[in-house]
């Protein structure tokens, strides 16, 4: 395996850890800074919103930068943002620092994917991209639970120092082991957003926006949502997050093969339907470890397993615009994360926080509807090729 790809994967591991570790620390942040859990949850919102809105802007504005310089700058900003979070005395400064960390993710993540593709020969680019993306999923699966465990042993500020340490290690690896690569072709912001004029693209992106808003409403406030199981014990919460992370990794790996066999429509709709039931039952399954653990496994398997068929559906709409479409898909995911912080914060303020799963299920159900609408528009665009005889069902996105 090309060591340069491993370096990029390590950077994505740091980004993934930084993105998702905060959700397991909200109770500690709330007590430490004397604010509500809902306000502490906006740490997730500002990070995700910063990433979602700035990612296409950074890609257009810094397209002429050498990739190595942009990667190093992104990791440096990430480390600075984490250190500022670790020492910030007020929630306002904490939120400002998370905004800075979101900018770092917007600088690093898309650049890492583009660099991985440029380092591989055309027939191996898919494998190269999968290695880098695995770094992100491993950050979610293992880095975030480890950070929560560190917070349980010490405090949430120690976790942010831990995240800064990961960023520093990744920066060192990129600086020492990655040779400079040419800057990417310049693509202005208008061209990057051009696919949004296609109804099929909009409905497909709306599907991931709605489903992931549902998933992350509970994820952002997972500490209070599962407090009847954890009893406030960060070690138990870290173990549950690890279990879900392992399931998410397995779901991502299996989803590709299933999508090749059954097509995107079947996998997306089946995953969304199962997630709808899983989250609708969370107010009851989150009461004990014997039911909470399977619920989290289902969440991990089908939540992250949804991403592969979603991406393949987008690529199938306009293959020539695949990089732009996948970038918009990432933006939709992080918009969902930012929306979930606001919506979940309102829900825990107005309702019993153990009922968040029902609110999530409403969004997931809406995503199932838009998924089917997207499929119908895609089929309609095929014109005379809509019959199953002309197009094998497994190839219909």
């Amino acid at each position: 395996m090309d060591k340069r790809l491993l370096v990029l994967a390590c950077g994505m591991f740091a980004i993934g850890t930084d993105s998702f570790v905060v959700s397991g620390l909200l109770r500690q942040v709330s007590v430490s800074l004397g604010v509500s859990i809902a306000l502490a949850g906006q740490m997730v919102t500002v990070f995700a919103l910063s990433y979602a809105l700035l990612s296409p802007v950074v890609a257009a504005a810094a397209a002429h930068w050498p990739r190595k310089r942009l990667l190093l700058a992104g990791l440096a900003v990430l480390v600075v943002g984490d250190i500022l979070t670790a020492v910030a005395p007020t929630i306002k400064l904490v939120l400002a620092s998370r905004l800075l960390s979101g900018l770092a993710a917007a600088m690093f993540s898309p650049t890492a994917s583009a660099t991985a593709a440029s380092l591989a020969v055309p027939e191996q680019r898919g494998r190269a991209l999968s290695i880098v993306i695995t770094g992100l999923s491993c950050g979610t699966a293992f880095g975030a639970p480890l950070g929560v465990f560190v917070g349980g042993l010490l405090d949430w500020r120690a976790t942010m120092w831990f995240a800064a340490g990961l960023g520093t290690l990744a920066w060192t690896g990129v600086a020492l082991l990655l040779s400079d690569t040419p800057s990417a072709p310049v693509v202005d912001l208008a061209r990057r957003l051009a696919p949004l004029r296609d109804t099929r693209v909009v409905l497909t992106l709306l599907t991931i926006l709605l489903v992931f808003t549902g998933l992350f409403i509970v994820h952002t406030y997972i500490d209070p949502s599962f407090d009847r199981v954890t009893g406030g014990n960060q070690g138990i919460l870290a173990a549950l997050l690890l279990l879900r992370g392992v399931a998410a990794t397995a779901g991502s790996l299996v989803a590709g093969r299933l999508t090749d066999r059954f097509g995107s429509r079947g996998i997306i709709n089946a995953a969304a339907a199962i997630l709808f039931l899983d989250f609708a039952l969370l107010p009851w399954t989150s009461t004990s470890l014997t039911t909470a653990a399977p619920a989290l496994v289902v969440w991990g398997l089908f939540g992250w397993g949804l991403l592969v068929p979603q991406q393949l559906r987008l690529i199938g709409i306009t293959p020539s615009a695949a990089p732009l479409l996948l970038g918009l898909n990432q933006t939709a995911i992080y918009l969902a994360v930012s929306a979930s912080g606001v919506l979940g914060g309102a829900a825990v303020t107005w309702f019993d926080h153990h009922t968040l799963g029902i609110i999530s299920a409403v969004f997931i159900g809406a995503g199932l509807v838009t998924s089917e609408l997207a499929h119908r528009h895609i089929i309609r665009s095929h014109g005379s090729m809509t019959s199953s005889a002309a197009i094998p069902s497994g190839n219909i996105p």
Side-chain angles (χ1 to χ4, degrees), residues 19-352:
S19 299
F20 299 108
V21 73
V22 172
S23 298
L25 305 171
L26 295 187
R27 190 181 299 275
Q28 288 190 15
V29 174
S30 171
V31 173
S32 173
L33 298 179
V35 299
S36 67
I37 289 181
L39 182 54
Q42 302 318 300
M43 293 171 66
V44 176
T45 299
V46 296
F47 179 99
L49 192 61
S50 175
Y51 179 100
L53 297 182
L54 294 178
S55 186
V57 175
V58 169
H64 61 287
W65 284 28
R67 286 175 175 158
K68 181 175 180 178
R69 184 191 303 174
L70 188 54
L71 291 168
L72 290 173
L75 289 172
V77 172
L78 182 73
V79 172
V80 171
D82 288 340
I83 291 174
L84 290 176
T85 302
V87 301
T90 67
I91 189 63
K92 289 182 180 179
L93 292 177
V94 166
L95 294 178
S97 67
R98 293 305 291 167
L99 192 71
L100 190 63
S101 296
L103 168 62
M107 296 170 71
F108 185 89
S109 296
T111 310
S113 295
T115 302
S118 70
L119 292 174
V121 295
E123 59 269 22
Q124 294 183 359
R125 282 176 181 167
R127 181 185 178 191
L129 284 171
S130 69
I131 292 171
V132 174
I133 296 302
T134 297
L136 182 65
S137 62
C138 286
T140 306
F142 306 109
L146 181 58
V148 172
F149 182 72
V150 170
L153 288 178
L154 300 171
D155 62 11
W156 67 273
R157 296 185 186 277
T159 298
M160 298 316 302
W161 283 107
F162 166 75
L166 290 179
T168 302
L169 289 175
W171 187 95
T172 304
V174 170
L176 295 179
L177 301 177
L178 185 68
S179 57
D180 212 349
T181 55
S183 58
V186 177
V187 179
D188 61 30
L189 188 57
R191 185 180 170 191
R192 290 179 181 277
L193 299 179
L196 294 177
R197 292 195 292 264
D198 189 327
T199 302
R200 299 170 300 170
V201 171
V202 171
L203 287 171
T204 304
L205 293 175
L206 188 58
T207 298
I208 208 70
L209 177 65
L210 289 169
V211 172
F212 268 68
T213 296
L215 297 181
F216 277 93
I217 283 175
V218 176
H219 173 88
T220 302
Y221 298 94
I222 194 167
D223 189 357
S225 294
F226 285 82
D227 61 359
R228 291 173 294 184
V229 173
T230 66
N233 187 313
Q234 295 294 110
I236 296 176
L237 180 60
L240 289 175
L241 290 173
L242 178 61
L243 179 65
R244 190 194 59 183
V246 172
T249 302
S252 298
L253 294 173
V254 173
R257 294 183 180 182
L258 292 178
T259 303
D260 288 338
R261 181 174 180 181
F262 298 107
S264 296
R265 179 197 186 192
I267 304 304
I268 292 173
N269 289 0
I274 292 170
L275 288 168
F276 173 83
L277 293 174
D278 188 42
F279 276 72
L281 294 173
L282 272 185
W284 297 274
T285 57
S286 62
T287 59
S288 70
L289 192 60
T290 54
T291 52
L296 286 165
V297 168
V298 170
W299 177 355
L301 281 173
F302 293 96
W304 288 96
L306 193 71
L307 285 177
V308 173
Q310 167 76 8
Q311 290 175 332
L312 290 177
R313 171 175 276 184
L314 280 171
I315 292 172
I317 293 173
T318 312
S320 61
L324 300 180
L325 292 170
L326 294 179
L328 289 172
N329 190 61
Q330 284 295 107
T331 296
I333 291 172
Y334 277 90
L335 281 176
V337 176
S338 63
S340 69
V342 175
L343 294 170
V348 297
T349 301
W350 297 335
F351 308 109
D352 183 349

